[in-house]
Structure formats: C-alpha cells, structure tokens
C-alpha cells in the first residue's frame, strides 16, 4: 500500500513538473523587427523564427512584426513602457541600437531598461553604390568628397550620429574631411536604404554587408568597402576589399541579437536564454546564420548584459569625439 501511494505521489509529481515545463514555453511567440521589412532587423528576426521552429524549441510558429521609427527607438519605448511583461516577445537589436542608446536617442530609457537576452551573429558595415556608379573604389569616393563634400548624396539608416552615419564619418575623418560637411539623407532601415540607392535617389549607401548580399548577387549593387578586419569568407563577399586594405583604418562590426521586456519573469527569461544557448551551440544554427551572411558571435545572459554596457560606454566616448553629445 505504501509502495502504491509512493508511486501515485511520484507520478503526480512528474506530471506536475511536466506541466510546468510545458507552460514554460511562451505563448504567441513574436519577434519585433524595429524597422521596415527588408533590412538587418528583419533578417535577425527571421533567423530566430527559422531556427527556433526548425529546432522544435518552439512548437508554435513565431510571427515577425515590424515597428519602424527612430532606428529602434519606437520599439524600445513600446516594449519598456507598454509591453514590459510579454514573455513571448523578443525584439531585435544591433550595434546601431546601442550607439543610439549611448547618445540618448531612445528618450528617457537607457541601456538598463530591458533584459538583454542573446547576441546571435555579427555582420560588418559597408559602403554600397549602384552597379553603374562612377565610383569604382573607395579612393574614387573620397576624392569626390574632398572636391565637394556636399555634392555626393549619402544615404544612411538613421540621422546624424547613427551607426551608418558613423561609418562614413570615420572614413571622412581618416581622409581629413569634416564629417559635418557631408550630405546625408536619413532612411529607416536597410530595406528603405537599398530601395533609395537602386532607385537613384542617393549615390552612396552606408549600410551593412548582410543587408546587401541579395543585391550583390543580382548584380544591381557594388560594395566599395567592407569595414571588417580582413576580407570576409563566402563566395559572394570574398572579393570585396576592406576599407583597411585600401588605406582607411575603419572597422565596424554590427552585432545582432535580442532583448526582452524589463518585467518578463525570470522563468520566461531562463526559457529563452536556454533555448538560445542550445541554438548557438548547434551546427544547424551555424548553417542558418551562414546562409544569411552573418558571422559567429554567441553571447547570452549576464555575459551579453556586460558586453552591452561596455559597448554603450565606448560609444559614448566616440559620440563625444564627434561632438554628438556633451561631455
């Protein structure tokens, strides 16, 4: 009788634990891409969408929603102020998000306002032109900027001080050109930027190599320089020269990842963290990441939180150098 009772209690406990485990999976999973479709945030969300479902870590399909505005500012404020407890909602961020946070462009909320979840890959900044552009090399562009910096129309994702602006500002500074004399047109994300470039509305796009690959493959776009330490692997991008090898010591990695709302429960946060830890350790995820022209970067939880805080501090120093914020 005692044995039977122990068996019943053990079975009940197992069922209860199983029920808790099942309940841990978030309901209505969603990834917010804080820009218009077609850019890096979209790519980041769709990477998570594919990986989590294909790995069966998520049993429910994940939807991707778009919340453009301020290169992440609108989404950040919405998550923190209006949707802080949504356990099923992850939001994409990039190094550009952290640069904007460093300059106070996300309003009253700073880098401490959310729960940093996972960094899942890295890309690199790039300067792109149309296939018929007279600029064949980075030197060609720099020469034109030196002759008349206001004549060349440069599109960037975000306004002055954004990540895309900073890339060209660093090139300008390296070439002895005042970045404030450059002519910028602000866009909302990589998709809009590519459309403007290919439509002839801008002459140069300060962009991200991952966003650009489909247009490079189609032959519509050429890359003058990629801001990586050395040439990148892969048949599409291997022939693209770095800015560094062309004499401009500018390197700009673009980290991509996700955060959760500040009031998401510890249990839900742990579920997401464990899921991304499993993904980042898997060969299947590595292949999905490679297919999107992203390069290895794997960081979750406290390690990512510390990385974000360090990056924001460094970006504040850089922004001060360019007079974007007061010391």
């Amino acid at each position: 009788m005692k044995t039977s009772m122990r068996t019943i209690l053990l079975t009940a406990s197992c069922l209860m634990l199983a029920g808790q485990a099942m309940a841990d999976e978030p309901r209505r999973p969603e990834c917010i891409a804080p820009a218009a479709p077609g850019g890096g945030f979209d790519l980041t969300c769709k990477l998570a969408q594919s990986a989590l479902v294909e790995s069966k870590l998520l049993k429910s399909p994940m939807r991707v929603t778009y919340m453009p505005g301020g290169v992440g500012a609108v989404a950040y404020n919405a998550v923190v102020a209006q949707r802080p407890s949504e356990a099923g909602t992850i939001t994409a961020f990039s190094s550009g998000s952290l640069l904007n946070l460093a300059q106070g462009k996300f309003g009253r909320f700073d880098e401490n306002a959310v729960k940093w979840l996972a960094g899942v890959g890295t890309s690199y900044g790039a300067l792109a032109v149309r296939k018929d552009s007279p600029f064949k090399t980075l030197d060609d562009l720099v020469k034109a900027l030196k002759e008349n910096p206001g004549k060349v129309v440069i599109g960037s994702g975000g306004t002055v001080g954004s990540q895309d602006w900073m890339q060209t500002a660093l090139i300008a500074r390296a070439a002895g050109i005042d970045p404030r004399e450059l002519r910028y047109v602000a866009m909302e994300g990589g998709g809009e930027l590519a459309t403007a470039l290919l439509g002839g509305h801008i002459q140069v796009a300060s962009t991200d190599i991952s966003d650009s690959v489909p247009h490079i493959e189609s032959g519509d776009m050429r890359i003058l320089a990629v801001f990586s330490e050395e040439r990148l692997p892969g048949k599409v991008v291997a022939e693209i020269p770095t800015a560094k090898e062309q004499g401009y010591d500018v390197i700009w990695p673009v980290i991509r990842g996700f955060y959760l709302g500040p009031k998401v429960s510890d249990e839900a946060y742990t579920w997401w963290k464990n899921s991304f830890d499993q993904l980042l350790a898997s060969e299947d995820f590595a292949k999905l990441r490679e297919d999107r022209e992203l390069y290895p970067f794997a960081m979750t939880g406290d390690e990512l939180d510390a990385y974000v805080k360090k990056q924001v501090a460094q970006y504040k120093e850089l922004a001060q150098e360019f007079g974007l914020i007061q010391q």
Side-chain angles (χ1 to χ4, degrees):
M1 184 72 178
K2 288 182 180 179
T3 303
S4 298
M5 182 59 71
R6 278 199 299 268
T7 302
I8 292 169
L9 290 172
L10 182 60
T11 302
S13 298
C14 289
L15 288 170
M16 184 175 69
L17 288 171
Q20 288 174 346
M22 289 175 64
D24 283 344
E25 179 179 330
R27 297 176 60 194
R28 297 186 297 277
E30 172 188 14
C31 184
I32 297 175
F41 289 132
D42 190 6
L43 178 148
T44 308
C45 275
K46 286 178 178 171
L47 172 59
Q49 181 187 50
S50 297
L52 288 163
V53 174
E54 288 180 21
S55 65
K56 295 184 169 51
L57 287 166
L58 271 180
K59 298 177 181 64
S60 304
M62 168 179 272
R63 64 190 177 116
V64 175
T65 56
Y66 302 94
M67 196 178 291
V71 194
V74 170
Y76 200 84
N77 278 263
V79 168
V80 176
Q82 300 162 24
R83 306 169 64 175
S85 306
E86 290 186 8
T89 301
I90 62 174
T91 306
F93 79 91
S94 73
S95 299
S97 310
L98 306 186
L99 179 60
N100 282 350
L101 278 169
Q103 296 173 64
K105 289 188 174 183
F106 282 12
R108 60 196 169 110
F109 300 119
D110 63 11
E111 66 274 16
N112 299 301
V114 300
K115 293 187 174 183
W116 301 100
L117 175 61
V120 298
T122 185
S123 182
Y124 293 89
L127 289 179
V129 294
R130 280 185 10 157
K131 62 181 179 182
D132 57 355
S133 171
F135 306 131
K136 305 300 182 186
T137 66
L138 186 53
D139 277 337
D140 290 342
L141 174 59
V142 168
K143 182 181 178 182
L145 292 174
K146 283 184 174 180
E147 289 175 357
N148 188 343
K151 189 176 180 180
V152 181
V153 183
I154 303 170
S156 66
T159 56
V160 170
S162 69
Q163 173 171 255
D164 292 345
W165 179 91
M166 189 65 75
Q167 293 171 172
T168 43
L170 289 167
I171 288 290
R173 187 172 72 173
I177 303 166
D178 185 349
R180 291 172 295 183
E181 295 183 0
L182 300 181
R183 184 179 173 190
Y184 285 97
V185 177
M187 305 282 171
E188 183 60 50
E192 186 177 332
L193 195 57
T195 300
L197 179 67
L198 299 179
H201 305 295
I202 57 176
Q203 293 162 274
V204 180
S206 183
T207 185
D208 178 302
I209 192 65
S210 298
D211 295 356
S212 308
V213 166
H215 308 292
I216 300 169
E217 289 178 318
S218 70
D220 295 327
M221 187 183 287
R222 287 188 292 108
I223 303 297
L224 298 180
V226 62
F227 299 126
S228 54
E229 283 274 8
E230 53 192 32
R231 292 200 182 195
L232 299 173
K235 61 182 180 179
V236 178
V237 298
E239 299 304 314
I240 297 171
T242 65
K244 191 173 182 179
E245 74 183 72
Q246 297 178 76
Y248 304 89
D249 193 10
V250 177
I251 297 163
W252 195 274
V254 183
I255 304 304
R256 299 206 169 276
F258 305 95
Y259 62 82
L260 284 162
K263 295 183 180 179
V264 169
S265 70
D266 291 343
E267 292 78 13
Y269 180 88
T270 299
W271 186 93
W272 282 110
K273 179 187 179 301
N274 291 342
S275 295
F276 275 104
D277 283 338
Q278 289 182 57
L279 285 181
L280 291 166
S282 75
E283 292 183 7
D284 289 340
F285 180 79
K287 179 67 169 61
L288 288 172
R289 182 179 57 205
E290 182 182 336
D291 289 345
R292 288 157 177 80
E293 301 296 334
L294 288 174
Y295 302 92
F297 181 89
M299 205 174 279
T300 64
D302 290 343
E303 185 184 14
L304 178 66
D305 184 78
Y307 172 87
V308 165
K309 307 297 172 53
K310 181 179 178 182
Q311 284 297 107
V312 169
Q314 291 176 352
Y315 288 149
K316 282 180 181 175
E317 292 179 6
L318 187 60
Q320 286 167 355
E321 287 178 26
F322 279 96
L324 300 170
I325 55 175
Q326 298 300 313
Q327 298 189 32

